[in-house]
Amino acid sequence: MNEPKTYYNPLNGEYTKIIESSEDTNGKYSLLEVSLMPHGGNPPHYHKRFTEEFIAVKGQLGLLYNREIVYLEPGQSKLVPIGIEHRFFNNGSEPIVFRIVLRNGQPGFENFIKALFGLVNDKCTTKRMIPKNPFYGAILLKWGDTHLNTTFFNLFTPFASLTYWIAKKINLENILLRKYCK
């Protein structure tokens, strides 16, 4: 088996590998491995289509879970059900490693990671990782099923479906797929 490609996000110090894709597991799950640099993390968010299980591998993994801070030591795990707001972070001084199991498999989320990290590296996002192109933002929202409790997100969401439809019509979804999701 070939070594999985590593996707890097310099804005939050995250390196992610897709160890087993949804395609590899016949849609049962997607397995990702994340290396997170000190003080790295992502914003609070939730998903409507899948659960996430976080498994600490190396170092102490910090999780915001439904407004509560939880720390996982290597070998410990935490299941995040659909609709529960959460985020991961590294408060330590050394890189940490953890795995994420998405159930059922999420090819859209896999593409979300690839495209978002690609856009970040190409400097096509804000420092908060929001794509500067609203069509790309709508595509990533659709793919990643990632929902934020922010004013911007709440204002943009009602228009996201229409914006995604337009993005498909003008071939932007295929452009993102070809450029970042090979």
Side-chain angles (χ1 to χ4, degrees):
M1 184 171 174
N2 294 335
E3 175 69 19
K5 182 177 177 180
T6 299
Y7 302 91
Y8 174 57
N9 183 339
L11 292 179
N12 71 348
E14 179 181 344
Y15 295 84
T16 298
K17 294 179 188 178
I18 300 168
I19 303 294
E20 291 183 89
S21 69
S22 179
E23 182 179 6
D24 295 336
T25 66
N26 293 318
K28 291 180 183 162
Y29 61 90
S30 299
L31 174 63
L32 291 73
E33 183 172 270
V34 177
S35 296
L36 190 61
M37 298 302 106
H39 311 293
N42 62 354
H45 64 280
Y46 62 95
H47 307 284
K48 294 181 178 180
R49 295 191 309 247
F50 60 91
T51 64
E52 283 183 283
E53 182 178 8
F54 291 88
I55 306 159
V57 174
K58 176 184 167 199
Q60 187 180 64
L61 169 61
L63 288 177
L64 171 69
Y65 175 85
N66 206 20
R67 298 188 185 115
E68 203 175 300
I69 301 292
V70 176
Y71 290 97
L72 301 178
E73 299 296 334
Q76 293 181 317
S77 66
K78 181 77 173 168
L79 181 67
V80 179
I82 290 171
I84 297 294
E85 189 172 60
H86 61 283
R87 71 179 286 262
F88 58 77
F89 58 91
N90 177 0
N91 278 350
S93 59
E94 297 291 325
I96 64 171
V97 177
F98 59 97
R99 290 190 168 187
I100 305 171
V101 181
L102 311 175
R103 292 188 187 87
N104 293 330
Q106 294 297 311
F109 190 85
E110 294 166 20
N111 286 336
F112 167 83
I113 291 292
K114 295 172 187 177
L116 175 62
F117 288 20
L119 290 168
V120 165
N121 281 285
D122 287 347
K123 300 192 180 350
C124 297
T125 66
T126 67
K127 290 183 181 189
R128 297 181 74 187
M129 295 182 274
I130 298 169
K132 293 176 182 175
N133 181 325
F135 291 108
Y136 289 167
I139 293 165
L140 292 181
L141 287 175
K142 180 75 169 176
W143 288 354
D145 182 40
T146 299
H147 305 272
L148 308 171
N149 282 325
T150 66
T151 302
F152 173 79
F153 186 83
N154 291 331
L155 291 173
F156 182 68
T157 299
F159 304 101
S161 292
L162 174 61
T163 307
Y164 174 73
W165 181 82
I166 294 168
K168 280 186 70 87
K169 283 288 190 194
I170 61 176
N171 208 35
L172 288 178
E173 183 177 52
N174 285 331
I175 289 169
L176 279 182
L177 285 168
R178 279 194 307 274
K179 184 165 185 177
Y180 300 115
C181 305
K182 301 173 195 167

